Amino acid sequence: MADTTSTADPLHRLAEAYRVSTTYSGFDGREREVPDATLRAVLDALGADAGDDDAVEACLARRELAPWRRVLPPVVVAVEGARTRFAVHVPHGSAVHVSLVGEDGTRTTAPQADNRPSPRDVDGVLTAEVTFEVPEDLGPGWYEVRAECPDVDGGRAVTTPLAVTPRRLSTTDRLHGRRRWGYMAQIYSVTSGRSWGVGDVSDLASLAAVSGEQGADYLLVNPLHAAEPTPPVEPSPYLPTSRRFFNPLYLRIAEVPEYAYLRPADLEVVNTLAAIQRRENLDTSTIDRDKAYAAKLKSLELLFTVRRSPHRQQQLRRFVAEGGQGLQDFGLWCALREELGEDAPEWDDVAASPDAPYAVEARTRLSHRIDFYVWMQWLLDEQLESAQRAAHLAGMDIGVIHDLAVGVHKQGADAWMLQDVLASGVSVGAPADMYNQKGQDWSQPPWHPERLAEAGYLPWRDMLRTIFRHAGGIRVDHVLGLFRLWWIPDGQEASEGAYVYYDHEAMVGILALEAELAGAVVVGEDLGTLEPWVREYLAERGVLGTSILWFEMDGDEPLPPARYRELSMASVSTHDFPPTAGFLQGVQVDVREQLGLLARPVEEERAEARKQLDTFFAAVAADGLLPEGEATGEQARVEALHRWLGQAPALLFNVSLVDAVGERRMQNQPGTGDEYPNWRIPLADGAGNPVLIETLPENARANSLVRAINEALGTRPRFQGVGEPAQPQHTDRTAP
């Protein structure tokens, strides 16, 4: 939590009042002071006037009085079964009645608490503070607090949102009793004979079907968030334009029902594009998103001209109604971005917001194009629903687990639509560490903690609801960001930032509430520097942590897997490391040497990498899990690491698909842009041959690793013969 030490320095007192930390612990354990210039810049981004001591004192006074100027707080977040109190401010001596109204219209009277502080003068009105409670038996869900006072607003009710959050996720508690495993895959890299050079939602469904038969209970995929509406598109799935909406690049064209009714000439165009793009499935060099997306957009534009049946049109209307203004604004941004491009001056003026003049005029002029982008979100919703259904039909207990990126692109849709609840003049990043001595700037605008609260956390809720519609779970990248984020003022080095704290009770609570309502599992990526209580808090709420084999150390020795946390998702590696086969060969050192990223001689780096591997394999061998002699080749060593990790009590166990097929190349080299083809590596085996989904059931190496995993976890395939070599299957390569 933020600094609470009393200080006479006005600037530091203002920082504490706004939950901006004035110090932080570096990666070396030393405490560092945040410079005053940084504090002033961060406070300015929060809307606080810290120009001089007089301005600071005036700002402190306004902040102290601010709650008294409101009848109700901007939002109330309670925990089920706990006594949660909130203050109501009315003229002294006035009667006030407070009720809680559920989404179904059920009304409950909020009991009044005993404590009642002395009234105070607020802008010339003697004001009383009356405390009320959320009943302990109120179930999880969204409610409305209604305060009615004859002396306020003519007796009309004043309202504010109430979120009653689960004390602990029941979805996590249901996982106890057996361990589960699932593939971890960058779905854009996983193609089939029918893909268009990029893995899509239909490939996601196929991979879920294959792995479900092998005994998997879930499939963890990269963020499927929306990118730019037209090529070129950002290759990183962790720098999206929107986290609420999805990327049409992942649509399977032939599975759009209107495909069957294309006019002959249009069908010929689509089939020609499909034939061209299918050749890309066998190219293991790099993924060309722009080419694939251009072909899909052309095809989708033709499909959009096909008249929909009455029931299809009705389904679309229902989806549009449920999406509300947010969906319409997203469609508007896509149409404007297509028309103006990224760097047009209109974005800073007449198109600066959804309510700006140019944008208002464009709602009518570009209505057809807006409808097109909204329609694609509907298609994605349908295909994602099919993928989750395929996972359940394959016997998966959880199904698809989506990944939630930390933030969004500064020039993206969310930054444009949600600018009222995002902070400007700053970006999110990380302070200096041993790998990034200048810190990291992720070029993403952070949530403004107070404006988000003023909005009742509805933008956060709406984002989560869209993801949870057809998901069995969510992995929250950098879950620590729900507690605090490193804010970097524009124009400053990444290391010259400060931590801004958030209301984690609200952020985590609403995440848990939406997951509970959706029946979904929540995993938090809790790696890196954090305060010890954070993991304890997440565990108490039922949020699983993350355990990466290479990071779990006990001093200089590997932590025995038996001592791992139970409430965690464990894996040998992560997408920021090479596949395990590549890690064994030191690929990470080779790449960093080629790119000039090494901070010390390459011989020292290679020696350190060998020492790390020797240390881990000594522990694996000590447990009798490393075969001797010729059997200790690459594949055997990869399987031995997975068997060793299988001793962990972790409820979820990730198996990277690249490890299953023997891929060696890294998906991502942190700290690089175009110097390395980040997020553009297709799935291949160790010899560089393409691996298509339909060949996985007969892939000997994958089947061998699956057997090792099932044996280690005590799980088994769901169908007779699964995990054994299968007969080659005929692949129809004529349909797009």
Side-chain angles (χ1 to χ4, degrees):
M1 50 191 300
D3 297 340
T4 56
T5 305
S6 177
T7 174
D9 177 50
L11 180 62
H12 282 211
R13 283 193 288 120
L14 186 64
E16 291 168 10
Y18 277 84
R19 307 197 74 201
V20 180
S21 183
T22 58
T23 63
Y24 69 96
S25 295
F27 68 94
D28 55 4
R30 291 172 50 199
E31 187 169 279
R32 290 170 167 78
E33 293 280 341
V34 178
D36 285 357
T38 297
L39 290 177
R40 293 184 193 279
V42 170
L43 286 166
D44 181 67
L46 285 165
D49 186 354
D52 55 37
D53 285 353
D54 288 342
V56 167
E57 292 290 357
C59 192
L60 281 167
R62 288 193 301 271
R63 186 165 182 80
E64 197 272 334
L65 198 59
W68 287 78
R69 290 190 165 117
R70 306 182 59 108
V71 176
L72 289 170
V75 62
V76 178
V77 179
V79 178
E80 180 188 20
R83 182 173 295 179
T84 303
R85 294 183 171 183
F86 59 94
V88 180
H89 297 99
V90 294
H92 183 56
S94 298
V96 60
H97 178 265
V98 177
S99 57
L100 313 174
V101 184
E103 290 183 302
D104 61 356
T106 304
R107 186 183 295 256
T108 303
T109 297
Q112 184 175 330
D114 293 334
N115 64 312
R116 190 162 183 163
S118 301
R120 62 185 300 175
D121 183 278
V122 179
D123 303 323
V125 177
L126 190 62
T127 302
E129 181 176 276
V130 188
T131 303
F132 288 83
E133 294 181 349
V134 177
E136 297 178 21
D137 59 352
L138 208 60
W142 286 91
Y143 301 82
E144 180 182 75
V145 180
R146 295 175 61 87
E148 297 169 281
C149 174
D151 300 319
V152 173
D153 200 17
R156 287 187 292 272
V158 177
T159 65
T160 198
L162 162 65
V164 178
T165 67
R167 179 179 294 276
R168 180 181 173 82
L169 279 164
S170 66
T171 54
T172 299
D173 291 337
R174 288 198 294 269
L175 296 178
H176 290 286
R178 69 181 180 90
R179 294 178 295 168
R180 294 162 173 81
W181 71 271
Y183 278 131
M184 172 174 59
Q186 302 291 316
I187 202 64
Y188 56 82
S189 72
V190 187
T191 60
S192 63
R194 297 182 180 183
S195 307
W196 285 30
V198 178
D200 57 35
V201 179
S202 182
D203 294 319
L204 170 61
S206 295
L207 183 58
V210 170
S211 57
E213 290 187 349
Q214 291 175 328
D217 272 305
Y218 65 89
L219 178 57
L220 172 63
V221 298
N222 58 278
L224 304 182
H225 305 320
E228 290 73 11
T230 58
V233 297
E234 166 63 45
S236 173
Y238 291 94
L239 187 59
T241 63
S242 174
R243 294 191 293 172
R244 177 178 175 183
F245 299 103
F246 296 100
N247 192 343
L249 174 67
Y250 293 111
L251 283 171
R252 172 64 64 88
I253 300 299
E255 292 187 5
V256 177
E258 284 70 35
Y259 167 79
Y261 303 102
L262 280 168
R263 290 180 289 272
D266 292 345
L267 179 61
E268 184 177 357
V269 171
V270 174
N271 284 342
T272 300
L273 291 170
I276 294 171
Q277 286 303 123
R278 280 199 301 270
R279 298 177 195 143
E280 303 292 321
N281 298 328
L282 302 179
D283 183 354
T284 59
S285 57
T286 55
I287 295 169
D288 191 338
R289 280 179 175 80
D290 293 342
K291 182 181 177 184
Y293 192 32
K296 289 193 176 186
L297 276 177
K298 176 63 177 176
S299 301
L300 287 161
E301 286 166 351
L302 295 174
L303 284 166
F304 189 56
T305 67
V306 177
R307 185 175 181 177
R308 288 176 289 277
S309 66
H311 84 275
R312 292 274 296 162
Q313 185 63 23
Q314 183 185 61
Q315 291 170 346
L316 174 57
R317 286 198 302 267
R318 183 181 297 113
F319 176 80
V320 170
E322 291 174 353
Q325 191 62 47
L327 178 59
Q328 291 297 321
D329 286 348
F330 175 73
L332 173 61
W333 178 85
C334 290
L336 286 173
R337 179 62 175 267
E338 182 180 39
E339 178 177 82
L340 298 173
E342 179 179 344
D343 301 320
E346 285 86 349
W347 291 115
D348 297 322
D349 185 13
V350 292
S353 72
D355 298 323
Y358 190 97
V360 171
E361 177 270 336
R363 284 192 190 274
T364 300
R365 179 171 54 81
L366 299 177
S367 61
H368 183 74
R369 206 60 184 167
I370 294 170
D371 290 344
F372 172 67
Y373 285 108
V374 168
W375 170 76
M376 287 195 291
Q377 290 301 310
W378 173 55
L379 297 182
L380 282 160
D381 185 75
E382 288 189 319
Q383 294 194 6
L384 287 167
E385 180 182 25
S386 295
Q388 179 68 352
R389 184 166 58 249
H392 287 316
L393 289 173
M396 283 190 171
D397 182 27
I398 298 171
V400 181
I401 298 180
H402 287 254
D403 203 350
L404 179 67
V406 178
V408 294
H409 197 290
K410 280 190 173 183
Q411 280 77 48
D414 281 1
W416 184 74
M417 297 186 297
L418 303 177
Q419 56 191 279
D420 290 344
V421 294
L422 296 174
S424 60
V426 290
S427 63
V428 175
D433 59 33
M434 64 181 68
Y435 301 108
N436 301 277
Q437 296 186 8
K438 292 186 177 181
Q440 300 178 61
D441 187 336
W442 301 333
S443 299
Q444 299 171 338
W447 291 118
H448 189 297
E450 297 192 3
R451 292 182 195 155
L452 186 61
E454 290 283 347
Y457 291 96
L458 299 186
W460 174 234
R461 182 200 70 177
D462 292 343
M463 178 186 302
L464 294 170
R465 282 192 172 180
T466 303
I467 296 172
F468 282 135
R469 274 175 67 90
H470 308 301
I474 190 173
R475 172 193 176 271
V476 181
D477 195 32
H478 192 62
V479 73
L480 309 182
L482 305 186
F483 296 79
R484 69 178 187 181
L485 282 173
W486 182 255
W487 284 27
I488 307 163
D490 289 350
Q492 294 189 191
E493 294 290 337
S495 59
E496 299 172 344
Y499 279 114
V500 175
Y501 284 76
Y502 290 78
D503 184 348
H504 63 273
E505 294 279 0
M507 298 293 286
V508 176
I510 291 170
L511 168 63
L513 172 57
E514 292 303 317
E516 185 74 15
L517 295 175
V521 174
V522 178
V523 181
E525 187 267 291
D526 57 355
L527 306 174
T529 304
L530 73 160
E531 294 150 308
W533 66 269
V534 169
R535 280 183 172 172
E536 296 172 6
Y537 175 83
L538 290 171
E540 289 172 359
R541 299 303 295 266
V543 176
L544 275 64
T546 301
S547 298
I548 306 298
L549 180 76
W550 307 117
F551 299 159
E552 294 288 344
M553 300 292 292
D554 183 8
D556 293 331
E557 297 296 321
L559 182 71
R563 290 170 52 192
Y564 282 23
R565 294 173 289 169
E566 181 184 26
L567 292 183
S568 74
M569 171 183 273
S571 59
V572 172
S573 193
T574 172
H575 58 243
D576 286 334
F577 271 47
T580 306
F583 195 69
L584 298 182
Q585 292 187 341
V587 166
Q588 71 281 9
V589 178
D590 296 339
V591 170
R592 291 169 64 203
E593 180 193 18
Q594 293 166 9
L595 298 176
L597 299 176
L598 295 180
R600 56 182 176 174
V602 65
E603 293 78 10
E604 292 184 22
E605 292 285 346
R606 290 200 173 107
E608 183 66 27
R610 285 193 297 270
K611 179 181 177 182
Q612 181 183 20
L613 291 175
D614 290 344
T615 300
F616 272 89
F617 279 112
V620 175
D623 281 352
L625 296 174
L626 189 64
E628 298 181 358
E630 295 183 1
T632 56
E634 175 189 279
Q635 181 177 340
R637 286 157 68 86
V638 170
E639 292 181 10
L641 288 170
H642 283 80
R643 288 182 184 274
W644 193 61
L645 184 64
Q647 299 176 354
L651 293 176
L652 301 181
F653 183 96
N654 281 347
V655 179
S656 180
L657 185 59
V658 291
D659 284 350
V661 303
E663 173 69 89
R664 294 186 175 89
R665 297 171 296 175
M666 301 175 64
Q667 275 293 335
N668 177 49
Q669 171 56 57
T672 62
D674 291 333
E675 308 97 306
Y676 185 82
N678 293 321
W679 316 111
R680 286 169 281 184
I681 305 297
L683 186 67
D685 62 20
N689 301 310
V691 177
L692 302 180
I693 293 175
E694 52 264 44
T695 68
L696 282 176
E698 61 196 67
N699 188 299
R701 180 162 180 157
N703 286 327
S704 181
L705 181 58
V706 166
R707 283 195 296 272
I709 294 158
N710 281 328
E711 289 172 4
L713 300 184
T715 54
R716 58 189 177 85
R718 293 190 172 88
F719 295 89
Q720 185 67 32
V722 172
E724 301 298 332
Q727 294 300 314
Q729 299 177 357
H730 171 68
T731 301
D732 180 359
R733 297 179 181 269
T734 60

